[in-house]
Amino acid sequence: MSKKLLTSCLLVMLSVVLVLSGCSSKKEPKEALSSAAVKALEMNSYVLENQMKILDFSVEGTPEAESPEVGAVLSMLKNAEINIKQVYQKDPMQTEATLEVKLTGDMTTTITIPLVMTPEKLYVKVPSIPFLPMPESVTGKFLVLDMKELAEQSGEEFNPDLFNPEKSQKLGTELMGALFAEYESGAYFTNIDPKEASLPEGFKAKQVVQFAITNENVKEAVTILVNQALPKMLDILAKEEYRSMLQLTPEELEQAKKELQEGNQDELGKALDEMKNNLQINKFTVDTAIDENNYPAYYNVQADVAVNDPDTQTNIKVALQMTSRFTQINEKPAFEIGIPTDTLTMEQLQEEMGQFGY
């Protein structure tokens, strides 16, 4: 083999190694999140499963907290679950979701509410709730809400962009980018080993980024949010496409920004000191798992905090976990509900409920 050919082969091999290493290497945590957020805009269809578990919820220190009524509510909420499974397609826009609420304690029950949304209509299935009797003539039917008619009845102009998931997602991406930009990567964002990230079985993560707030950095984190991130986020909301979508006026946004700028920093500092003294963050992390296609396909939020109010001697403890997982990204969606036909209007619902004694 000639020296020239050998050199060429070595260069080709070196190029392949560099390309492969570049594909497998992890990006800087904040950069990885920003890139993944932009990539998420390419989701034209997906199945999204959200779950929230209340692991602990207690209130102590006040007579009201010791009452049987409050105790029953706390018992019901502790270990409660809220699950939402959503199927979405961008064009033509259609999304359906099933909301499931599982309550424990003395009122153990599961409430399931299917929903369907199109560009102009929202369908909500009237649930059967054990402790809230409903007439049989309405349970199981879908209440259809015409957004355009509701807007006209309230004297407002119907804005279809308000129910446009694509634009909402774009806005969320810009707001998240503005928020992330203000926080230092090493102090708040870190890469973690996927093996330590409690990922769903079978999920292959290219990179997992963790955002964490602790007792040590919570004061700084809130200060950055108020003084740096929120003004920039308000500038984003002031863009015509988002301002009109949310039906905000320039005056409202300008007033909000003015109040932030004129806020008394001494009072803010005092409030933050009190918060730091009375707030105990046992854990607050947000893990974002980026899949092999660079989509932010899994989120895991874990929070365990306690708040003590020295004035009332009230102690509140809350611990919860929230997860979100995207699957079947850009695949043909399989809608299980479709567009409901067994429907009733708000007027029909009110009439039936009135006859039932409501």
Side-chain angles (χ1 to χ4, degrees):
M1 182 181 293
S2 68
K3 184 180 294 185
K4 184 176 180 181
L5 181 58
L6 178 61
T7 302
S8 298
C9 290
L10 290 173
L11 287 174
V12 171
M13 291 173 64
L14 179 60
S15 299
V16 171
V17 170
L18 289 173
V19 169
L20 291 176
S21 66
C23 291
S24 61
S25 63
K26 293 181 180 179
K27 295 183 179 179
E28 186 271 334
K30 196 161 66 172
E31 178 190 357
L33 283 183
S34 298
S35 299
V38 174
K39 180 69 175 179
L41 296 175
E42 299 178 12
M43 293 185 185
N44 295 318
S45 63
Y46 54 75
V47 173
L48 173 60
E49 294 179 87
N50 295 298
Q51 182 183 72
M52 183 178 78
K53 291 183 178 180
I54 301 177
L55 306 176
D56 189 16
F57 186 32
S58 64
V59 181
E60 300 175 349
T62 63
E64 292 79 10
E66 306 299 329
S67 68
E69 293 80 5
V70 173
V73 173
L74 294 176
S75 175
M76 179 176 62
L77 292 177
K78 188 175 181 180
N79 296 320
E81 286 186 25
I82 299 176
N83 304 308
I84 303 176
K85 182 178 180 181
Q86 178 185 357
V87 182
Y88 165 78
Q89 76 174 13
K90 175 181 174 181
D91 188 22
M93 198 289 278
Q94 182 177 337
T95 185
E96 67 179 37
T98 300
L99 168 65
E100 181 184 67
V101 180
K102 295 182 177 180
L103 302 177
T104 61
D106 296 334
M107 302 180 69
T108 299
T109 188
T110 298
I111 303 170
T112 303
I113 305 177
L115 306 96
V116 175
M117 179 180 286
T118 64
E120 293 188 355
K121 293 184 179 181
L122 172 65
Y123 302 83
V124 182
K125 192 171 186 178
V126 182
S128 176
I129 304 174
F131 50 83
L132 183 62
M134 304 275 279
E136 293 183 1
S137 57
V138 301
T139 54
K141 291 187 176 182
F142 280 85
L143 172 65
V144 56
L145 301 172
D146 189 306
M147 301 303 179
K148 189 173 183 179
E149 288 183 3
L150 290 175
E152 291 174 351
Q153 290 173 5
S154 60
E156 298 178 357
E157 184 178 350
F158 174 65
N159 182 8
D161 286 345
L162 188 61
F163 305 96
N164 186 324
E166 181 184 5
K167 288 197 173 184
S168 298
Q169 189 175 23
K170 183 183 175 184
L171 171 59
T173 299
E174 289 199 35
L175 291 175
M176 187 166 60
L179 179 66
F180 286 169
E182 302 306 317
Y183 291 93
E184 294 182 10
S185 187
Y188 297 94
F189 300 92
T190 55
N191 285 317
I192 63 173
D193 190 332
K195 295 178 182 178
E196 301 175 358
S198 300
L199 300 176
E201 185 177 353
F203 186 94
K204 295 181 179 180
K206 179 179 180 181
Q207 185 171 354
V208 180
V209 178
Q210 183 175 92
F211 174 80
I213 293 180
T214 65
N215 287 316
E216 286 68 33
N217 66 16
V218 64
K219 180 178 177 181
E220 179 189 59
V222 176
T223 302
I224 291 173
L225 174 66
V226 174
N227 291 338
Q228 297 169 222
L230 284 179
K232 293 184 178 180
M233 295 168 80
L234 287 173
D235 286 338
I236 293 172
L237 293 177
K239 293 182 180 180
E240 176 59 28
E241 60 177 318
Y242 300 135
R243 187 183 60 77
S244 60
M245 181 181 81
L246 299 174
Q247 298 178 331
L248 299 170
T249 66
E251 292 76 19
E252 289 173 332
L253 292 168
E254 189 59 35
Q255 180 62 30
K257 194 170 183 179
K258 184 179 179 181
E259 290 175 357
L260 281 176
Q261 293 171 341
E262 293 179 352
N264 189 312
Q265 295 301 305
D266 292 336
E267 291 184 3
L268 175 61
K270 183 179 179 181
L272 290 174
D273 286 334
E274 291 179 355
M275 177 194 70
K276 186 175 181 181
N277 293 332
N278 302 323
L279 175 66
Q280 174 68 35
I281 300 178
N282 299 314
K283 188 172 188 178
F284 186 89
T285 58
V286 181
D287 293 349
T288 302
I290 301 169
D291 69 10
E292 296 173 320
N293 296 315
N294 295 318
Y295 288 111
Y298 181 72
Y299 297 90
N300 184 357
V301 180
Q302 296 189 58
D304 183 352
V305 300
V307 180
N308 172 49
D309 187 338
D311 295 330
T312 63
Q313 296 298 310
T314 303
N315 298 307
I316 301 174
K317 295 180 181 179
V318 179
L320 55 84
Q321 180 181 25
M322 295 181 291
T323 61
S324 298
R325 184 181 183 183
F326 290 89
T327 58
Q328 301 178 43
I329 298 173
N330 291 336
E331 297 180 11
K332 183 175 177 59
F335 292 108
E336 298 179 3
I337 303 174
I339 305 300
T341 56
D342 189 10
T343 63
L344 71 162
T345 64
M346 179 62 76
E347 291 75 15
Q348 291 172 328
L349 175 64
Q350 291 173 339
E351 182 180 349
E352 293 292 330
M353 296 295 285
Q355 293 179 1
F356 198 69
Y358 282 95

